[in-house]
């Protein structure tokens, strides 16, 4: 069976068992603060397990794109070195939300594996939870009995809490699980050693392929377990490992899931996979064929490479792939982007979004490659510098903090640094590196630290009802709350059964406002609670308050009034609608390739990231701005349509944002179906005229292939125009109200340029005169000529000019200069190159030592270096020290 047939057989099997087949959620996690990326099949269904939402069916099956490269589930460093770990992988899963349980899950798993996929029964082993006394969870007798009737006791293994008790996180739904392992070894190996003894022992051919999780409990913040009101099934089967088993391969990379990519790498590199004398060449091909999937689908789903958070993770994966290609496959020029087309073709029928954005993804990766190849060269120079310095001291071990710097700053993995070190007869301080890495992780954990209590449940509810499209205030009940300690202090998270507050989503910030408890009069027990933000965590609308001591008020509240800050909301609505008008205008002016790549909307400004590969010219910006304001003046009424079947909306031409997870029914926001027609969950003005006016304030680059504009609307646009007008009037006043302001400013610029040239000429004359004096007072020695002098020069560049011109005039020169420039001390050291080669003297090291006297630091090349400081009184001491030295 091909990988495509294997995937389809899974979905068809569970469709026959009355499961609803749903699409994969985006790789990039949305509205879940606990995740950067969807790292398991259940991530998109978490809310259903938590009871915060209602699933579209009690039985669901899917294939989910997953990424495991950070946090608890981090497989990155294993990828390429073994045959079965991956960054991005597909997780096939079937789910029961309070419907079937262990009996059906176990029977169907066995039926699919043995009857449909024809895996040999005598090569399969299963594990069952042995129980945990500390948690008060008994041995899973039910699962044991069910498996015993299918496979017999000799193929069942007892698993501990680590292997056979699955937990979503530190808190939340959890339960025992039953894993299915397959033995893919040769008959001779099977005869020699029982597969049962190799289960969960990291054997590359005895691997877990399916995990059946039986959710029975909820883990509370205090660590205790309580039974869930209803039981669920959550299964996950590694698609790549399943293909390896069915296609009878010994490596995931030998299956057709990866071979298309590897064959392209063979063509590009001229190396044959599996036939290389250099083992790292095969590792490199595995790394690259894995990483291209993670990078491509992350970009497709809206996560661009960057230097922060999830973007940094994607950049790190991309650079790891490029490093391996550069070091082991001989790629000196960008190559990684050339793999995108074969990947888009392979997944065109299952994850169509990559084919739709193939050109964009390719361009982004190409620009990232170019940038990193330049950084890679810098890193190699840095490593040369480190090893040279250590060699002088007779040290052959690169310190751990230096190894960490190479990894953190230049993107060098430890294994690459170690390899290059070996070639230079060096080793690395692995322990020191791990210490530095652990310290960074500790800082990261502290930065992200957030401690939350368990939810305090006040009443039952059937989910949160959002009424903010139609109402500015609602009468509601508080259903639960919790206290959260953050770096900035304590805050309360409050959940209402119905709310007008929009939760931060889709780039639009959350509403602020207040909750009125028990009336407004304090003497009658009333209280106003300020809401400073509203966030969406899974499907919960969380109202954030930083008011103090709210427990009693919240616990005793009856019907409350929830009121948003309507003035702030109206400004946000204007900015959001303007964003829709702007996107449509951009597509008219710049081309239909323009698509949204990110946005931020509050009451002050709108910021919008979009796919485009060149700077937007001033003329293009003016055309876009004019078009938006034209649509504002037309005062187009909002045509809002709710609960529209998603396929119907897309067929009608609605614009969707890649990377967003849409449900089966969507909301349409239309301002003239021929102009702006989008899927959107945000808030909008009832007609475009309410926006007033639209004005750009900036345009620039965010990353490869992505531009960013910022703009303002309404009052903020008028404020901007007034400020610009005031600035213009001040300039006129300073220039005595000239008739032609532009001509007057141009005249000033020309005059300034002429004066600068005169100053430069005078400074050069001064340096030439100074040079003559310095040569006349030079100390002449048998092997060198020495000048050590405090000089009066206009800039630090003048010290360099003076040194280089003297070099051309005086042989075997050593020159040390000190100067006070703008109140700050400066030092320079020059040593003729022939002296550097003969003696090993190093200007960079010398100037660092001299800089201590001026409370500063510096460096440079062995023949010329400079330093700056903060204490000019130390210049004379530094120069005397230089005289003594030479």
């Amino acid at each position: 069976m091909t990988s495509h047939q294997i995937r389809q057989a899974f979905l068809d099997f569970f469709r026959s068992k009355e499961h609803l087949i749903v699409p994969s959620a985006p790789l990039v996690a949305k509205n879940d603060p606990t995740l950067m990326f969807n790292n398991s099949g259940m991530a998109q269904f978490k809310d259903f397990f938590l009871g915060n939402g209602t699933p579209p069916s009690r039985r669901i099956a899917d294939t989910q794109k997953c990424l495991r490269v950070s946090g608890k589930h981090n497989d990155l460093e294993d990828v390429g070195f073994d045959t079965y770990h991956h960054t991005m992988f597909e997780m096939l899963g079937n789910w029961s939300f309070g419907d079937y349980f262990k009996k059906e899950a176990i029977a169907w798993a066995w039926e699919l594996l043995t009857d449909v996929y024809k895996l040999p029964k005598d090569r399969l082993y299963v594990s069952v939870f042995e129980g945990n006394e500390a948690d008060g969870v008994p041995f899973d007798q039910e699962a044991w009995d069910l498996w015993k009737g299918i496979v017999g006791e000799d193929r069942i293994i007892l698993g501990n809490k680590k292997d056979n008790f699955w937990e979503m996180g530190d808190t939340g739904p959890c339960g025992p699980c039953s894993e299915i392992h397959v033995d893919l070894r040769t008959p001779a190996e099977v005869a020699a050693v029982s597969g049962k003894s190799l289960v969960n022992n990291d054997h590359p051919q005895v691997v877990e392929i399916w995990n059946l999780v039986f959710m029975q409990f909820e883990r509370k913040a205090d660590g205790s377990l309580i039974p869930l009101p209803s039981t669920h099934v959550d299964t996950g089967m590694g698609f790549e490992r399943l293909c390896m088993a069915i296609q009878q391969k010994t490596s995931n990379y030998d299956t057709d899931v990866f071979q298309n990519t590897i064959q392209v790498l063979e063509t590009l590199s001229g190396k044959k996979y599996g036939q290389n004398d250099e083992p790292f060449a095969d590792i490199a091909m595995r790394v690259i064929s894995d990483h291209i999937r993670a990078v491509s689908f992350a970009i497709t789903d809206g996560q661009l490479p960057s230097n922060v958070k999830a973007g940094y993770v994607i950049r790190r994966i991309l650079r790891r792939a490029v490093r391996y290609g550069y070091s082991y496959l001989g790629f000196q020029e960008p190559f990684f982007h050339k793999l995108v087309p074969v990947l888009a073709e392979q997944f065109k029928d299952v994850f169509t979004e990559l084919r739709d954005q193939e050109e964009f993804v390719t361009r982004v990766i190409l620009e990232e490659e170019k940038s990193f190849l330049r950084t890679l060269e810098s890193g190699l120079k840095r490593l040369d510098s480190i090893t040279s310095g250590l060699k002088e001291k007779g040290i052959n071990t690169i310190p751990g903090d230096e190894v960490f710097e190479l990894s953190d700053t230049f993107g060098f993995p430890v294994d690459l640094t170690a390899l290059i070190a070996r070639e230079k007869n060096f080793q690395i301080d692995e322990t020191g590196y791990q210490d530095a890495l652990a310290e960074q992780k500790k800082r990261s954990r502290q930065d992200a630290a957030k401690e939350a209590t368990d939810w305090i449940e006040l009443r039952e509810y059937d989910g949160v009802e959002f009424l903010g499209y139609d109402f500015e205030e609602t009468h509601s009940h508080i259903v639960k709350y919790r206290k959260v300690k953050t770096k900035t202090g304590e805050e309360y998270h409050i959940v209402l059964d119905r709310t007008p507050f929009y939760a931060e989503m889709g780039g639009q910030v959350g509403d602020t406002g207040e909750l009125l408890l028990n009336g407004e009069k304090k003497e009658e027990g009333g209280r106003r609670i300020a809401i400073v933000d509203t966030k969406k965590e899974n499907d919960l609308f969380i109202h954030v308050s930083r008011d103090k001591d709210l427990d009693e008020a919240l616990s005793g509240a009856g019907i409350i009034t929830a009121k948003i800050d309507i003035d702030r909301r109206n400004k946000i609505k204007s900015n959001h609608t303007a964003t829709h008008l702007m996107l449509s205008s951009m597509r008219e002016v710049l081309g239909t390739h323009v698509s949204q790549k990110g946005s931020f909307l509050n009451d002050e400004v709108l910021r919008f990231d979009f796919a485009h590969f060149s700077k937007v010219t001033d003329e293009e910006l003016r055309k876009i701005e004019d078009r938006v304001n034209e649509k504002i003046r037309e005062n187009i009424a909002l045509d809002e349509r709710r609960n529209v079947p998603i396929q119907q909306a897309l067929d009608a031409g609605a614009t969707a944002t890649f990377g967003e997870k849409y449900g089966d029914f969507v909301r349409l926001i239309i301002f003239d179906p021929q102009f702006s027609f989008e899927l959107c969950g945000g808030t909008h003005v009832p007609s475009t005229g309410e926006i007033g006016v639209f004005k750009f304030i900036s345009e620039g680059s965010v990353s490869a292939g992505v531009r960013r504009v910022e703009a303002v609307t309404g009052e903020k646009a008028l404020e901007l125009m007034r400020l610009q007008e005031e600035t213009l009037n001040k300039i006129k006043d300073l220039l005595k109200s000239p008739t032609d302001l532009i001509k007057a400013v141009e005249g000033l610029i020309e005059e300034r340029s002429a004066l600068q040239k005169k100053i430069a000429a005078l400074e050069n004359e001064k340096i030439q005169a100074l040079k003559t004096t310095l040569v006349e007072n030079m100390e002449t020695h048998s092997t060198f000529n020495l000048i050590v002098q405090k000089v009066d020069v206009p800039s630090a560049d003048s010290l360099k000019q003076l040194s280089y011109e003297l070099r051309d005039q005086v042989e075997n020169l050593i020159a040390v200069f000190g100067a006070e420039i703008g109140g700050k001390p400066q030092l320079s050291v020059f040593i003729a190159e022939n002296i550097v080669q003969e003696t090993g003297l190093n200007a960079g090291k010398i100037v660092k030592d001299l800089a201590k006297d001026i409370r500063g630091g510096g460096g440079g090349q062995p023949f010329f270096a400079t330093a700056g400081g903060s204490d000019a009184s130390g210049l004379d001491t530094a120069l005397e020290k230089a005289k003594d030295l030479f």
Side-chain angles (χ1 to χ4, degrees), residues 675-703:
F675 183 70
S676 178
F677 188 178
E678 295 191 40
L679 306 184
C680 183
T683 58
H684 291 273
V685 296
S687 60
T688 60
E690 292 196 13
I691 299 171
V693 65
F694 171 88
K695 183 70 179 170
F696 280 121
I697 56 178
S698 68
E699 188 277 342
S701 173
V702 176
S703 62

Side-chain angles (χ1 to χ4, degrees), residues 3 43 128 183 233 247 265 285 363 376 390 393 481 503 712 868:
S3 59
V128 170
D183 185 350
V233 169
Q247 294 178 5
L265 286 172
M285 287 190 180
R363 291 284 293 271
L376 189 61
L390 293 172
K393 299 174 183 177
Y481 72 92
V712 285

Side-chain angles (χ1 to χ4, degrees), residues 664-864:
D664 294 330
F665 295 88
V666 294
R667 178 171 175 257
L668 291 178
I669 295 297
I670 306 168
F671 291 98
D672 180 352
Q674 303 305 312
F675 183 70
S676 178
F677 188 178
E678 295 191 40
L679 306 184
C680 183
T683 58
H684 291 273
V685 296
S687 60
T688 60
E690 292 196 13
I691 299 171
V693 65
F694 171 88
K695 183 70 179 170
F696 280 121
I697 56 178
S698 68
E699 188 277 342
S701 173
V702 176
S703 62
V706 179
R707 309 294 298 181
R708 172 176 291 173
V709 290
E710 289 192 352
V712 285
T713 64
E715 292 177 12
K716 289 295 177 183
L718 291 174
E719 286 176 16
L720 175 65
M721 293 178 202
R722 289 194 189 102
L723 181 62
Q724 292 171 337
E725 187 178 11
E726 288 171 7
T727 301
L728 198 59
N729 288 334
K730 285 178 182 177
I731 293 171
K732 284 181 179 178
D733 291 342
L734 289 170
L735 297 178
K736 310 300 184 187
S737 301
T739 305
D740 189 334
L741 180 60
I742 293 175
K743 189 173 181 179
V745 172
E746 286 174 343
L748 279 175
I749 293 170
E750 290 173 3
E751 184 180 336
R752 180 175 180 271
S753 177
L755 288 171
Q756 284 176 328
K757 288 177 182 177
K758 286 182 180 179
I759 290 169
L762 289 170
E763 288 179 350
N764 188 53
E765 285 180 19
K766 186 176 180 180
I767 287 174
Q768 299 310 313
L770 176 61
K771 190 170 65 173
T772 301
T773 303
L774 291 170
V775 172
E776 289 173 354
N777 294 289
M778 176 176 64
E779 293 182 16
T780 301
H781 297 266
S782 60
T783 57
F784 67 96
N785 295 301
L786 177 65
I787 302 174
V788 179
Q789 188 66 47
K790 189 173 182 179
V791 295
D792 180 14
V793 294
S795 68
D797 285 340
S798 300
L799 292 176
K800 185 175 183 179
Q801 179 187 347
L802 187 60
S803 299
Y804 278 41
E805 289 189 10
L806 283 167
R807 173 197 64 182
D808 296 337
Q809 186 174 338
V810 179
E811 292 184 351
N812 302 323
L813 176 66
I814 296 175
V816 181
F817 296 127
E820 188 173 344
I821 301 168
K824 298 288 186 181
Q826 294 279 336
L827 288 166
S828 71
V829 176
F830 174 85
I831 305 173
E833 290 194 47
N834 61 302
I835 295 177
V836 170
Q837 291 170 359
E838 292 167 7
T839 65
L841 288 172
N842 187 303
K845 293 181 178 179
I846 292 170
V847 86
K848 278 184 181 178
D849 185 50
L850 298 178
K852 294 174 183 176
D853 291 305
I854 60 172
R855 295 185 183 178
Q861 296 168 297
F863 62 88
F864 181 75

Side-chain angles (χ1 to χ4, degrees), residues 158 160 187 205 259 333 349 464 478 618 664 672 683 689 732 743 768 800 860:
L158 290 181
N160 58 23
Q205 266 75 60
Q259 276 299 304
E333 299 294 330
D349 296 325
V464 177
I478 299 172
D618 292 341
D664 294 330
D672 180 352
T683 58
K732 284 181 179 178
K743 189 173 181 179
Q768 299 310 313
K800 185 175 183 179

Side-chain angles (χ1 to χ4, degrees), residues 416-431:
L416 179 57
T417 302
L419 180 71
I420 298 172
R422 282 198 301 272
E423 292 171 355
K424 296 173 177 285
N425 296 316
F426 279 82
Q427 59 185 8
I428 66 169
D429 176 9
E430 178 71 31
T431 302

